[in-house]
């Protein structure tokens, strides 16, 4: 442990407010050379805000900022970059229209003496870097065409290999499946051993305990505790985070879990022999009223494509789809919604209006119902307020622009939108991504509630925990095909991983 | 002045974020307004004939046709699309309404005279049809609006040419003549029509479900699709709305100018786009509105009119207009960035 040495980065009494909202209140934080520093805390606790201060995103704050023992102020991200600080943001900040190679070298493309970009060299080096990290893609593809998990990996790779000596990872594993997470951890440990300092934010307490040397806990804009990982436990951390007995909140799913014998209602959705180019092959299943169907698989197994087909955003090459026994071909997402299907996609950027207030984000799904021609803002706000309270979205102000909420709270808004609707079939992609333990538990309860009301629910995830905590029946998808179904039998994390 | 947020009052924002970020996020509304005040003050001081009641009336009349066309264009730009065919569609609609009206015997056009209401309906149907073609090209075939409307610009010009064959027509139905060149109680009808259409556009954008959808589609098209909105229908509708507004502007314009001929509306393409953008409606969609367009119209109107009141080289005027437009574009793009930062 590095406690004896003086820290390379030391923050004292950092306070930061956004208008009336105090995001940080007098926080101390110290980072040593060659340590992995885990950061945990509830949604909106201020983790991202503190990291953005370190990375120069928020230049205005009060408190003392010491780098290498000298008082420093960054005026921009460029200053931070020059000081050797790199950050992977919680929201993907890749450039979707550029190629993979351009993204890897964003801002410092190799150029020849005349200042021309050396494309071939850039592509080759990007390819080498990525394959060192276990990513196998053509460096010349447009980044936006890749699945979100891969985009996230590429962004991580960019920062890890940028030569930064302080690396901040804000929920880097939220879109990754276990094999990529493993690779990431190995790389992090290697970088640490070479002397790099790493801050790692995650809502997966087990990951934090496993990979980090020191853990800091945030609550409500304050630092609650900082301990060596070896000296603490999951239960203690959760308790520090949310202040109540939290062990029962998070199940670790290492033991067998009994799936219920089928007692579900009528078939709401029947999918038969669905196929899509190289992504899906002859996928068939049924989703029933009052049942949560989990679909598990590694990144790139075809889940995303499947969810898009169910919601009318992609057209399958073959196969049929029937809702309540009637065959359907959806020409648009509007048609799918009219048929009673709702989708919460995995990417926040793709499903929310960041410049619009929270209530408009929530009411969009029900406008058709509450207003024939004229808008009814009072009613919209009332409905949104109810959802915000039910999901405990913080701050509970429906007039606030969505972009001002913390990541986890934005995710809740995305769910709130469809809760107000409510559909016959709800398709959730990574529904608890970026949520703290308490919020995950809330989501689990909400999904159970909806199930009790007779909705058919499909949960697609690359995290075994998500599927295990929600599903009554589980399909495992591998390279676009259903390879295993768990129904009315024992299942565990290991069995899922083995099947995938 | 303006904006989409009927329900979120500026005070809301202010309370939650402090004054500086509030001003920064409102830059797109504030900057054009300040420009307008500055220009008006400048010309009022520079020329005694500028700040008179008569001249204000002149400015209003001068911006009316642009205003009518800009209503529809505002919808299009709010959706982050563009319509380059507005001036051509205005032109062909104006020509069509004359084509279906009985002309004096010395006019050498083989036209098809009809009763006034039929001529108006046919002309409206023509512009709606052209708008529909734009809509289908954009949504069904997937041609970018920039290219699709560029083609439509040529097509509409071609139809105009075929109808008038280089000649000039003068007569339009009496209703159009009145609305285009008559006045009531000293107020020109064309100003009233423009005001009513701008108001109508504002009400639709602010208080109707369709208006909300326009902002949502412009703000984040993918999210709109994931919310189950019929994005293609909305995009198609704004293209048709734009074409119809242009058509109405074209018919009244013909009456206002007193003649219908080829290339009569060419300057209105740039003027309309400039009015919308100078007013602060975001070229990236989702931000701005009719209020902004009105400010933009006045900025252009005051500029065009004011330059006539001061003694400068008329060729220099063109350059000055261009520079002002460039400044507005810079502010537009810059405002977007500031807003993103404020929301970061
Ligand atoms: N740009 C902003 N404008 C206004 N308020 C903001 C802004 N960014 C963050 N906040 C507020 O500051 C608080 C802390 O947010 P922060 O993003 O740091 O939380 P977090 O700990 O990263 O949460 P999560 O786990 O959900 O990502 C929240 O209440 C949030 O609403
Ligand atoms: Mg965060």
């Amino acid at each position: 442990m590095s406690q004896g040495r003086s820290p390379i980065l030391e923050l004292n009494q950092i306070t930061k407010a956004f208008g009336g909202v105090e995001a940080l209140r007098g926080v101390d934080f110290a980072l040593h050379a060659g340590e992995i520093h885990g950061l945990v805390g509830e949604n909106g606790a201020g983790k991202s805000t503190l990291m953005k201060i370190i990375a120069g995103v928020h230049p205005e704050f009060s408190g003392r900022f010491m780098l290498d023992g000298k008082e420093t102020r960054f005026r921009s991200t460029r200053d931070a970059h020059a000081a050797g600080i790199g950050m992977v943001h919680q929201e993907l900040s890749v450039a979707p229209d550029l190629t993979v190679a351009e993204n890897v070298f964003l801002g410092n493309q190799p150029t020849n003496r005349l200042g021309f970009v050396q494309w071939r060299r850039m592509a080759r080096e990007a390819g080498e870097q990525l394959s060192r990290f276990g990513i196998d893609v053509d460096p010349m593809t447009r980044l936006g065409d890749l699945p979100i998990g891969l985009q996230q990996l590429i962004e991580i790779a960019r920062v890890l290999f940028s030569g930064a000596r302080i690396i901040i990872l804000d929920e880097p594993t939220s879109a990754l499946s276990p094999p990529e997470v493993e690779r990431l951890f190995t790389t992090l440990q290697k970088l640490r051993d070479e002397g790099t300092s790493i801050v790692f934010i995650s809502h997966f307490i087990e990951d934090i305990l496993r990979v980090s040397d020191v853990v800091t806990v945030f609550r409500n804009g304050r630092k609650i505790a900082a301990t060596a990982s070896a000296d603490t436990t999951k239960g203690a951390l959760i308790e520090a985070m949310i202040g109540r007995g939290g062990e029962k909140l998070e199940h670790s799913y290492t033991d067998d879990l009994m799936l219920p014998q089928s007692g579900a209602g009528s078939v709401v959705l029947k999918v038969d022999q669905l196929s899509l180019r190289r992504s899906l092959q002859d996928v068939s299943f049924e989703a029933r009223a009052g049942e949560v169907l989990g679909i598990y698989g590694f990144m790139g197994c075809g889940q995303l494509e499947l969810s898009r087909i169910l919601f009318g955003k992609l057209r399958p090459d073959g196969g049929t789809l029937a809702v309540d026994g009637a065959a359907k071909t959806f020409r648009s997402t509007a048609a799918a919604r009219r048929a009673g299907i709702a989708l919460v996609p995995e990417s926040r950027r793709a499903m929310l209006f960041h410049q619009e207030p929270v209530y408009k984000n929530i009411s969009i799904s029900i406008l058709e119902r509450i207003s024939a021609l004229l808008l009814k803002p009072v009613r919209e706000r009332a409905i949104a307020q109810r959802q915000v309270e039910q999901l405990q979205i913080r701050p509970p102000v429906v007039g606030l622009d969505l972009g001002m909420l913390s990541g986890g709270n934005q995710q809740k808004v995305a769910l709130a939108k469809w809760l107000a609707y409510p559909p016959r079939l709800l398709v959730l992609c990574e529904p608890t991504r970026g949520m703290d333990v308490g919020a995950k538990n809330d989501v689990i309860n909400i999904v159970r509630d909806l199930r009790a009301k007779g909705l058919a629910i499909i949960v697609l995830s690359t995290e075994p925990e998500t599927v295990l905590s929600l599903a009554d029946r589980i399909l495992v998808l591998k390279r676009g095909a259903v390879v295993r179904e768990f129904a009315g039998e024992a299942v565990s994390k290991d069995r899922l991983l083995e099947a995938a | 002045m303006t904006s989409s947020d009927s329900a979120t009052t500026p005070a809301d924002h202010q309370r939650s974020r402090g004054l500086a970020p509030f001003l920064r996020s409102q830059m797109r509304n504030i900057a054009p307004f300040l420009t307008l005040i500055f220009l008006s003050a400048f010309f009022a001081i520079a020329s005694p004939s500028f700040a008179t009641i008569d001249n204000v009336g002149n400015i209003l009349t001068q911006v009316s046709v642009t205003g009518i066309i800009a209503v529809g264009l505002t919808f299009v730009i709010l959706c982050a699309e563009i319509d380059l065919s507005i001036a051509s569609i205005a032109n062909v609609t104006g020509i069509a309404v004359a084509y279906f009206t009985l002309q004096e015997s010395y006019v050498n056009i083989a036209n098809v005279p009809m009763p006034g209401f039929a001529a108006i309906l046919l002309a409206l149907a023509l512009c709606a049809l052209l708008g529909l073609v734009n809509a289908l090209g954009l949504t069904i075939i997937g041609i970018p609006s920039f290219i699709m409307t560029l083609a439509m610009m040529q097509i509409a010009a071609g139809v105009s040419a075929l109808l008038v064959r280089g000649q000039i027509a003068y007569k339009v139905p009496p209703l159009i003549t009145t609305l285009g060149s008559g006045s009531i109680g000293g107020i020109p009808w064309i100003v009233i029509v423009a005001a009513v259409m701008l108001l109508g556009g504002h009400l639709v954008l602010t208080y109707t479900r369709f208006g909300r959808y326009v902002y949502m589609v412009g703000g984040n098209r993918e999210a709109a699709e994931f919310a189950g909105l019929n994005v293609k229908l909305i995009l198609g509708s704004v293209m048709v709305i734009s074409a119809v507004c242009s058509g109405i502007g074209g018919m009244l314009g013909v009456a206002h100018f007193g003649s219908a001929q080829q290339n009569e509306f060419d300057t209105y393409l740039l003027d309309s786009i400039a009015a919308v953008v100078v007013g602060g409606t975001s070229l990236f969609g989702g931000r701005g509105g009719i209020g902004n367009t009105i400010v933009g119209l006045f900025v252009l109107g005051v500029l065009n009119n004011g330059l006539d009141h001061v003694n400068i080289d008329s060729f220099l005027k063109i350059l000055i207009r261009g520079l002002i437009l460039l400044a507005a574009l810079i502010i537009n793009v810059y405002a977007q960035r500031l807003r993103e930062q404020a929301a970061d």
Side-chain angles (χ1 to χ4, degrees), chain B residues 30 73 109 338:
Chain B
I30 297 166
L73 188 66
I109 297 176
L338 280 182

Side-chain angles (χ1 to χ4, degrees), chain A residues 43-44 46-49 52 90 170-171 201 203 348 406-408 434:
Chain A
N43 293 134
K47 305 178 296 291
S48 300
T49 306
K52 285 182 184 168
Q90 187 173 10
D170 194 349
E171 295 190 34
I201 300 180
H203 289 296
R348 274 192 282 272
S406 80

Side-chain angles (χ1 to χ4, degrees), chain B residues 57 59-62 64 179 182 187-197:
Chain B
I59 295 177
L60 287 176
T61 316
Q62 285 160 6
S64 291
L179 291 182
I187 305 174
W189 271 110
I190 195 164
V191 173
I192 296 173
V193 172
V196 166
M197 287 188 58

